[in-house]
Amino acid sequence: MEELQKKRSRIMDSRPDVSTIAVCCGTGCQAFGGEKVAQAFREKIAESGLQNSVAIKTTGCHGFCERGLLVVIRPQNIFYQRVRLEDVDEIFNETVINGKIIERLLYITPDGSSKITSEEEVPFYKKQMRLIFGANGNIDPAEIDDYIAIGGYSAIAKVLSSMKPEQVIEEVSAAGLRGRGGGGFPAATKWKSTREAEGEPKYVICNCDEGDPGAFMDRSLMEGNPHSILEGMIIGAYASGSNTGFIYIRNEYPLAVKNAEIAIRQAEEYGLLGENILGSGFNFSVHINRGGGAFVCGESTALMASIEGKVGEPRAKYVHTSERGLYDRPTVLNNVETWANVPLIINRGSAWFASICTENSKGTKIFSLVGKINNTGLVEVPMGITLREIIYEIGGGIPDGKRFKAVLTGGPSGGCIPENLLDLPVDFDELTRVGSMMGSGAMIVMDEDNCMVDIARYFLKFLEEESCGKCVPCREGLKRMRQILDDICEGKGEESHLELLEEMSAAIGDGALCGLGQTAPNPVLTTLKYFRDEYISHIVDKKCPAGVCKALISYHIVNENCTSCRLCVKKCPVGAIEFVDKKIPVVIHQDLCTKCGACKETCKFNAVEIR
Amino acid sequence: MITLKIDGREINAEPGKTVLEAARENNIYIPTLCVNEAVAAYGACRLCMVEVTRGNRKRLVASCLYEVAEGLVVETRTERVVNIRRLVMELLLARCPNSSEVIEMARSMGIDSSRFQSEEDDNSCVLCALCTRVCREVVGKSAISLVGRGTNRKVALPFCEDTDACIACGSCVYVCPTGAIKMEDNGDVRRITWPSSTHEFKMKKCASCGSYFAPEKQISFMIQKTGLEAEKFDLCMNCRP
Amino acid sequence: MPEISVKNETLNCILDRYKRDRGQLISILQDIQAEYNYLPREAVKFVSSELGIPLSQVYSVATFFKAFSLQPRGRHTIHVCMGTACHVRGAAQILQQMENETKTCCGETTKDGKFTLESVNCVGACALGPVVVVDGEYAGQMTVNKVKPLLEKYD
Ligand SMILES: Cc1cc2nc3c(=O)[nH]c(=O)nc-3n(C[C@H](O)[C@H](O)[C@H](O)COP(=O)(O)O)c2cc1C
Ligand code: SF4
Ligand code: FES
């Protein structure tokens, strides 16, 4: 234990106050060339012989993906956004060498009134409480020393040197930590039940399957700060009496797999994993399992079957997995973010943790704020904040002056929340009360151009494709519900369909075997509840008010706006637009039009409209 | 012995029994499709759902898997239960419009038609997985399995054609509750038709009467399993001493 | 397309990487797929016999998970993200345009063996939606009109 302390001091001493260029290499920024930019900076440093006074750090996701690529210069804390490879020279010469700020790369407030230099002052970050996620921007995930330097692994040292497993459980229980993967089950309760269950060996698992389409916080944590998750798992294993752990990572996340592998190896080298951890006599090893691309494998029993090398099919859980889980042994399964909260609770105490809260939800939650929102990205907020604050103050509202329509929380198991409920505090129970749920934390914002019937159909289709096919209500039922929604979207719906959908929803929710099927009707139920008028428009008026459902819309030329520039004529993939004469507006031949939307996208004069 | 209540009746059951077993022992009817004593319960058809109350918690469970407990109160015909069964049967009727077994079962539950459009291809497999489970748990061959997922799921041989592991014993045929797997013996061949493909197997000829009495692969399997001499399997049942 | 011939050495090497642990079946199949771009039938059979798992069960796993393909794939794999964030920003139109341009249906390979077109539910780059990933390279903020130029970059 002392050794860890010494190591920390040594790391700190060996790091003189150099300036650091932190380049975000999270997946979002990577798409803007994160690694290439970092490499360009490295070359610049080498060219100018400044290796000893300027350091480059490739970090995980900072959350503000909308403004990628993000570069932060420390210690001045200058925050540059939308950086491209071409900007590297200038940043290096002007800012790093001469200390001058490049105005053009600063964040400008949406009203255009002021430019913001430091990261913390950007409104997107200001209202957040980045307890779990904040470290991402400061550390290189591939460097265990970085994590140790910010106090990492001190919680495990504290636990192993001064706490009994029962005390750890007590502390986590007092903090009120609830699972962040969807269900919101108290973490300490699971640990306790595994600790007390009969059967050896016992296992702990980290669920990084993150199948909810639209959520990427687990990915960003695993990619950006894997050691915090490992530390949480070691503590959980110690508390629940386990010596073997697994991290189940989604197939689509290769970088997360890589960084987790590096982290495990480094932790082993430092004696933080393996035999006799920090001289305490406690042993714990962690293995990585990759998923195979199946959403249902996020469900606990399916995930365990998949780790055993079997088809990811859920089974009944009348005996909890904390008593009979992986290989029929007591098993603790927690979500990535749940694990990452654990070291924090140990370090800062349960009382502190429990003070960030609402009555029944403690701590912070990371959300991915996506869809029709200005500031797309990952946000970490204290429980109890309202949806309105998240969407308007952090998220910066809806782009292009469009009107907000709904926000979907809880992913495919969740529901659509309408405008009049935006003052709802974000909390496990409040969201459930209105028919949605916290889920893993995707928050998808929709505006007036989104059709709610289409959204309901989208999720049903998703779940139909992801259903394992074991039980009848889910396999056959979701397909039938989707077919009914197809009919409605194609103008073939009948009013009686709505009651049928409600009846099916209830029976599937009651009858399906696992959480996938049981919660699958939620998006349909909430849209029926809050946006029934849109269903009625499709069924009775045969109209899609948002202009989304293809069978119910057509593209038309607004003659006053058309300049006959012929751009659309060239773009139309099926030759459905006819150019007549320079002075006459072009004509769309409805019989040929496939409604692909290329013309509307191309037109510079707003001369194509959907009716 | 454990005491519990099913539909208001107090009954006793051995610990470890499922609610379904306890109910059947007491002649209380709960419909099922995916249960068979030969194999472990699976919980897929959801027809056997019942409402149970334990303490003050009420929930819906699959009775084929849920174990009896002291003081448990079980209701087998509540509105929610009936709604699940009705939906399941309507869904299966639409899936297997030509299966007389499914139609019969639905009728016995008072359901004559389905509100969903009938599937076009002729299919009577309800994917209860009894065949694949028998093949694996009882025969021990795992020659067939459930392939694909979700609505694309089907019972099939590996690559829909690899019969290496199959001994043509026909257990899958006998256990299928809807007659979705067909078998036909014709001279020296046995033909088995699974929902995804048809295959032929050679039959063994009785050394005495000359009739074809069992698939050759099944005989080899029995020789290997029992450790008896091969000659013991040369004669058909009728010609055995 | 004809089946590829597999090398037992290669397969043994992959199996040894996972200590021939049956629990690692999915990882093993993934590595084989990475090697051959799909799961050749011979490889599936080899894994079954080496690990002592019935072929039917390996086949079940190989057909259950979306990551596996039992058919040879194109030289380039296009993944059109159909995650929710991309959906609300018009991913369906992008996919349709992809189908038009490649003249193939989602889930299939073009006749010339150039592209395999697949959809994927969220690649975790929602801020860039709609997203298309070609051979692991992300193309963000896609529009119907950007589809053709993107495809032209590959041969
Ligand atoms: C269909 C389905 C998918 C799920 N997917 C995930 C997932 O991707 N990640 C996750 O952490 N939990 C997921 N869950 C929830 C897990 O089953 C489990 O409750 C959770 O991992 C427990 O961890 P927690 O208590 O820390 O939240 C899913 C559940 C269901 C029913
Ligand atoms: S509810 Fe759906 S995913 Fe869950 S077991 Fe049933 S079929 Fe499989
Ligand atoms: S008999 Fe219980 S689910 Fe089929």
Side-chain angles (χ1 to χ4, degrees):
Chain A
M1 317 276 159
E2 279 142 37
E3 213 156 278
L4 188 67
Q5 197 47 48
K6 270 192 224 139
K7 200 163 242 161
R8 183 167 299 121
S9 321
R10 231 180 300 129
I11 295 169
M12 306 297 265
D13 292 346
S14 70
R15 296 190 166 184
D17 287 336
V18 296
S19 32
T20 309
I21 310 170
V23 180
C24 177
C25 284
T27 299
C29 285
Q30 203 63 275
F32 294 116
E35 196 46 59
K36 286 193 196 116
V37 168
Q39 190 53 32
F41 273 120
R42 270 186 215 111
E43 281 160 20
K44 275 271 153 202
I45 296 171
E47 262 170 45
S48 50
L50 290 174
Q51 289 93 328
N52 294 326
S53 52
V54 183
I56 181 98
K57 199 176 276 305
T58 51
T59 72
C61 177
H62 296 221
F64 203 1
C65 309
E66 180 74 33
R67 296 292 168 143
L69 183 119
L70 306 179
V71 172
V72 181
I73 318 283
R74 301 203 172 90
Q76 305 93 315
N77 239 358
I78 302 164
F79 177 73
Y80 286 146
Q81 43 97 51
R82 300 212 165 135
V83 175
R84 297 291 176 270
L85 196 55
E86 308 82 82
D87 301 320
V88 169
D89 277 2
E90 192 179 349
I91 296 179
F92 191 79
N93 296 334
E94 292 299 314
T95 311
V96 181
I97 310 244
N98 294 328
K100 275 205 229 126
I101 288 171
I102 305 166
E103 303 256 327
R104 132 184 102 74
L105 295 173
L106 293 179
Y107 176 82
I108 305 171
T109 48
D111 57 8
S113 64
S114 55
K115 288 187 175 144
I116 293 170
T117 318
S118 78
E119 192 168 9
E120 299 78 46
E121 291 304 312
V122 175
F124 175 77
Y125 291 115
K126 227 171 167 180
K127 266 227 148 172
Q128 295 192 43
M129 189 172 197
R130 293 160 48 93
L131 302 176
I132 307 292
F133 201 48
N136 262 29
N138 297 324
I139 60 174
D140 182 337
E143 294 290 345
I144 188 171
D145 285 356
D146 277 17
Y147 182 63
I148 293 177
I150 60 162
Y153 287 114
S154 52
I156 190 63
K158 178 174 169 188
V159 162
L160 292 180
S161 63
S162 65
M163 292 171 87
K164 289 206 182 66
E166 291 79 4
Q167 287 173 306
V168 176
I169 292 176
E170 193 46 50
E171 188 71 6
V172 174
S173 165
L177 176 63
R178 292 173 66 172
R180 301 297 196 241
F185 197 78
T189 311
K190 284 193 205 172
W191 299 8
K192 186 162 189 271
S193 121
T194 294
R195 171 155 202 88
E196 288 166 0
E198 282 184 29
E200 290 288 337
K202 293 173 175 162
Y203 299 107
V204 297
I205 304 177
C206 170
N207 189 345
C208 186
D209 194 46
E210 194 159 64
D212 175 354
F216 55 109
M217 64 289 292
D218 292 349
R219 160 187 217 155
S220 293
L221 270 178
M222 189 60 84
E223 285 178 0
N225 194 355
H227 286 287
S228 67
I229 298 154
L230 281 182
E231 188 176 7
M233 287 180 74
I234 305 170
I235 295 169
Y238 173 76
S240 49
S242 159
N243 304 112
T244 312
F246 295 89
I247 304 180
Y248 188 89
I249 307 182
R250 193 168 172 240
N251 173 53
E252 289 84 347
Y253 290 177
L255 185 60
V257 173
K258 184 173 144 216
N259 288 357
E261 276 168 357
I262 296 173
I264 291 173
R265 201 171 62 234
Q266 290 176 342
E268 282 168 354
E269 282 161 15
Y270 276 51
L272 293 158
L273 276 179
E275 307 263 300
N276 194 13
I277 295 172
L278 297 177
S280 65
F282 174 62
N283 309 330
F284 183 58
S285 61
V286 175
H287 310 273
I288 294 178
N289 278 73
R290 279 178 293 164
F295 171 67
V296 70
C297 285
E299 195 277 341
S300 52
T301 56
L303 184 147
M304 290 172 198
S306 163
I307 293 184
E308 293 172 19
K310 298 185 195 142
V311 163
E313 210 181 78
R315 57 175 173 77
K317 283 191 284 194
Y318 300 135
V319 179
H320 288 295
T321 49
S322 52
E323 289 166 41
R324 256 193 265 154
L326 185 63
Y327 296 108
D328 252 352
R329 298 289 186 281
T331 306
V332 169
L333 172 72
N334 279 122
N335 165 262
V336 168
E337 196 184 333
T338 316
W339 287 122
N341 267 289
V342 174
L344 203 68
I345 294 172
I346 299 292
N347 280 331
R348 299 174 73 168
S350 55
W352 167 81
F353 189 84
S355 72
I356 317 163
C357 67
T358 64
E359 178 72 30
N360 291 315
S361 303
K362 315 285 182 192
T364 60
K365 175 80 193 90
I366 308 177
F367 289 97
S368 59
L369 197 53
V370 298
K372 303 290 185 64
I373 185 97
N374 273 314
N375 301 337
T376 303
L378 291 175
V379 305
E380 181 177 350
V381 289
M383 298 276 188
I385 191 170
T386 66
L387 288 167
R388 193 181 298 281
E389 285 171 285
I390 297 181
I391 293 168
Y392 286 95
E393 293 179 32
I394 298 174
I398 317 301
D400 307 328
K402 298 270 181 175
R403 225 182 55 239
F404 170 91
K405 188 184 267 180
V407 57
L408 185 125
T409 69
S413 319
C416 293
I417 299 173
E419 171 135 43
N420 64 354
L421 293 175
L422 275 188
D423 292 309
L424 201 71
V426 169
D427 148 307
F428 288 103
D429 310 309
E430 287 292 322
L431 290 175
T432 311
R433 202 174 50 77
V434 297
S436 183
M437 62 184 240
M438 180 84 85
S440 55
M443 225 174 238
I444 291 134
V445 182
M446 285 166 280
D447 68 6
E448 55 191 287
D449 292 340
N450 290 117
C451 167
M452 301 315 282
V453 185
D454 173 69
I455 290 296
R457 174 173 73 152
Y458 165 80
F459 279 114
L460 272 181
K461 185 152 180 294
F462 171 82
L463 291 166
E464 177 192 348
E465 279 170 15
E466 295 298 335
S467 160
C468 81
K470 178 172 181 173
C471 71
V472 179
C474 173
R475 183 189 67 230
E476 307 287 331
L478 298 186
K479 175 169 114 184
R480 298 302 180 171
M481 283 180 77
R482 195 260 308 149
Q483 286 174 345
I484 294 173
L485 285 173
D486 278 351
D487 280 351
I488 296 178
C489 288
E490 284 164 21
K492 292 184 274 186
E494 291 162 24
E495 267 180 272
S496 64
H497 280 158
L498 301 187
E499 279 105 71
L500 180 58
L501 284 174
E502 276 163 339
E503 186 193 318
M504 292 176 78
S505 296
I508 295 173
D510 278 346
L513 192 160
C514 83
L516 188 152
Q518 287 160 3
T519 57
N522 285 354
V524 177
L525 285 175
T526 51
T527 48
L528 271 173
K529 182 165 163 196
Y530 301 121
F531 300 95
R532 206 176 185 93
D533 53 331
E534 286 197 33
Y535 283 85
I536 300 290
S537 300
H538 284 75
I539 294 172
V540 180
D541 314 330
K542 310 289 177 206
K543 285 218 161 67
C544 174
V548 172
C549 297
K550 274 199 177 172
L552 303 180
I553 58 167
S554 50
Y555 284 81
H556 298 269
I557 299 294
V558 183
N559 290 347
E560 309 85 85
N561 294 355
C562 178
T563 61
S564 301
C565 72
R566 277 193 274 184
L567 258 184
C568 57
V569 178
K570 285 190 201 116
K571 283 285 178 201
C572 179
V574 292
I577 310 180
E578 187 187 348
F579 172 76
V580 190
D581 185 89
K582 271 215 141 157
K583 292 183 201 78
I584 306 174
V586 298
V587 182
I588 300 182
H589 290 286
Q590 298 297 340
D591 49 334
L592 298 175
C593 175
T594 57
K595 301 172 190 172
C596 74
C599 49
K600 189 170 196 305
E601 195 182 291
T602 312
C603 184
K604 295 199 179 78
F605 307 100
N606 235 341
V608 184
E609 69 170 3
I610 296 175
R611 263 186 238 149
Chain B
M1 276 296 186
I2 281 174
T3 314
L4 68 158
K5 236 189 208 151
I6 303 185
D7 292 340
R9 248 174 78 192
E10 198 146 284
I11 64 169
N12 296 319
E14 273 172 53
K17 289 250 160 167
T18 63
V19 167
L20 177 67
E21 285 164 335
R24 292 210 164 149
E25 280 165 15
N26 290 278
N27 293 322
I28 298 169
Y29 173 71
I30 298 175
T32 61
L33 243 180
C34 69
V35 144
N36 187 300
E37 294 76 31
V39 289
Y42 184 58
C45 73
R46 317 310 280 171
L47 282 174
C48 71
M49 297 294 283
V50 295
E51 228 169 318
V52 296
T53 314
R54 202 168 172 179
N56 48 20
R57 184 166 177 221
K58 196 173 197 148
R59 62 197 286 217
L60 284 148
V61 298
S63 63
C64 64
L65 282 160
Y66 196 84
E67 287 183 12
V68 295
E70 191 57 47
L72 190 71
V73 177
V74 182
E75 291 161 282
T76 70
R77 281 190 299 262
T78 65
E79 194 187 334
R80 288 168 83 186
V81 166
V82 171
N83 284 342
I84 297 170
R85 287 184 194 155
R86 167 167 215 41
L87 178 73
V88 167
M89 281 326 296
E90 281 193 60
L91 290 169
L92 291 180
L93 271 177
R95 179 186 166 91
C96 317
N98 300 321
S99 160
S100 50
E101 289 85 352
V102 172
I103 294 170
E104 188 46 48
M105 179 150 198
R107 206 165 276 153
S108 76
M109 288 157 71
I111 302 160
D112 290 322
S113 64
S114 173
R115 281 171 288 177
F116 309 111
Q117 209 187 351
S118 294
E119 212 73 73
E120 272 157 28
D121 51 357
D122 190 23
N123 181 3
S124 44
C125 172
V126 292
L127 292 170
C128 66
L130 275 171
C131 53
T132 61
R133 287 183 285 145
V134 160
C135 187
R136 179 163 164 183
E137 293 174 35
V138 182
V139 185
K141 293 306 290 184
S142 289
I144 47 174
S145 65
L146 290 170
V147 168
R149 81 163 175 234
T151 36
N152 296 322
R153 220 173 210 221
K154 59 183 181 196
V155 170
L157 291 160
F159 304 98
C160 294
E161 62 178 33
D162 192 316
T163 53
D164 276 3
C166 178
I167 56 168
C169 67
S171 302
C172 50
V173 180
Y174 298 114
V175 80
C176 178
T178 62
I181 309 176
K182 304 253 180 326
M183 184 166 84
E184 187 189 5
D185 288 350
N186 198 343
D188 62 345
V189 293
R190 166 170 285 186
R191 178 181 290 134
I192 304 183
T193 303
W194 288 282
S196 49
S197 59
T198 302
H199 295 271
E200 293 186 347
F201 299 85
K202 274 198 85 169
M203 298 289 280
K204 190 170 170 80
K205 197 177 193 167
C206 172
S208 162
C209 71
S211 66
Y212 293 97
F213 68 98
E216 287 183 346
K217 284 174 87 181
Q218 185 180 4
I219 303 273
S220 316
F221 177 70
M222 282 155 77
I223 294 170
Q224 184 204 332
K225 270 264 151 165
T226 54
L228 296 170
E229 304 102 72
E231 296 82 69
K232 289 251 173 3
F233 295 90
D234 277 350
L235 301 178
C236 73
M237 287 312 264
N238 295 337
C239 300
R240 273 194 208 161
Chain C
M1 241 179 279
E3 287 259 339
I4 284 177
S5 64
V6 298
K7 286 211 186 68
N8 289 0
E9 280 159 68
T10 318
L11 297 175
N12 274 322
C13 173
I14 291 171
L15 286 165
D16 291 337
R17 198 176 296 158
Y18 297 98
K19 304 195 184 76
R20 299 181 177 256
D21 177 1
R22 288 179 192 193
Q24 291 288 352
L25 177 63
I26 295 165
S27 294
I28 290 168
L29 293 179
Q30 249 151 359
D31 285 12
I32 295 174
Q33 167 132 333
E35 179 73 35
Y36 297 105
N37 211 9
Y38 80 110
L39 293 178
R41 188 195 279 215
E42 287 312 309
V44 175
K45 289 177 116 168
F46 188 83
V47 167
S48 150
S49 71
E50 290 295 308
L51 295 183
I53 307 175
L55 183 60
S56 66
Q57 280 164 43
V58 181
Y59 188 65
S60 284
V61 168
T63 55
F64 184 87
F65 291 105
K66 215 176 162 181
F68 300 124
S69 166
L70 288 151
Q71 249 86 53
R73 297 215 270 189
R75 292 195 297 285
H76 306 287
T77 306
I78 306 169
H79 281 126
V80 181
C81 181
M82 300 300 271
T84 323
C86 289
H87 176 80
V88 300
R89 291 190 187 179
Q93 291 189 332
I94 307 295
L95 180 63
Q96 199 193 359
Q97 190 67 3
M98 277 285 178
E99 292 186 328
N100 291 345
E101 287 293 340
T102 58
K103 300 196 178 53
T104 186
C105 292
C106 182
E108 289 172 9
T109 301
T110 52
K111 284 213 182 66
D112 57 3
K114 188 165 163 187
F115 294 113
T116 295
L117 179 63
E118 289 174 349
S119 67
V120 48
N121 290 315
C122 195
V123 291
C126 309
L128 311 173
V131 182
V132 171
V133 187
V134 187
D135 296 342
E137 289 262 342
Y138 287 71
Q141 284 147 3
M142 283 299 292
T143 62
V144 172
N145 292 323
K146 283 188 192 168
V147 167
K148 199 168 170 193
L150 176 71
L151 294 178
E152 280 165 358
K153 290 204 289 188
Y154 298 87
D155 59 16

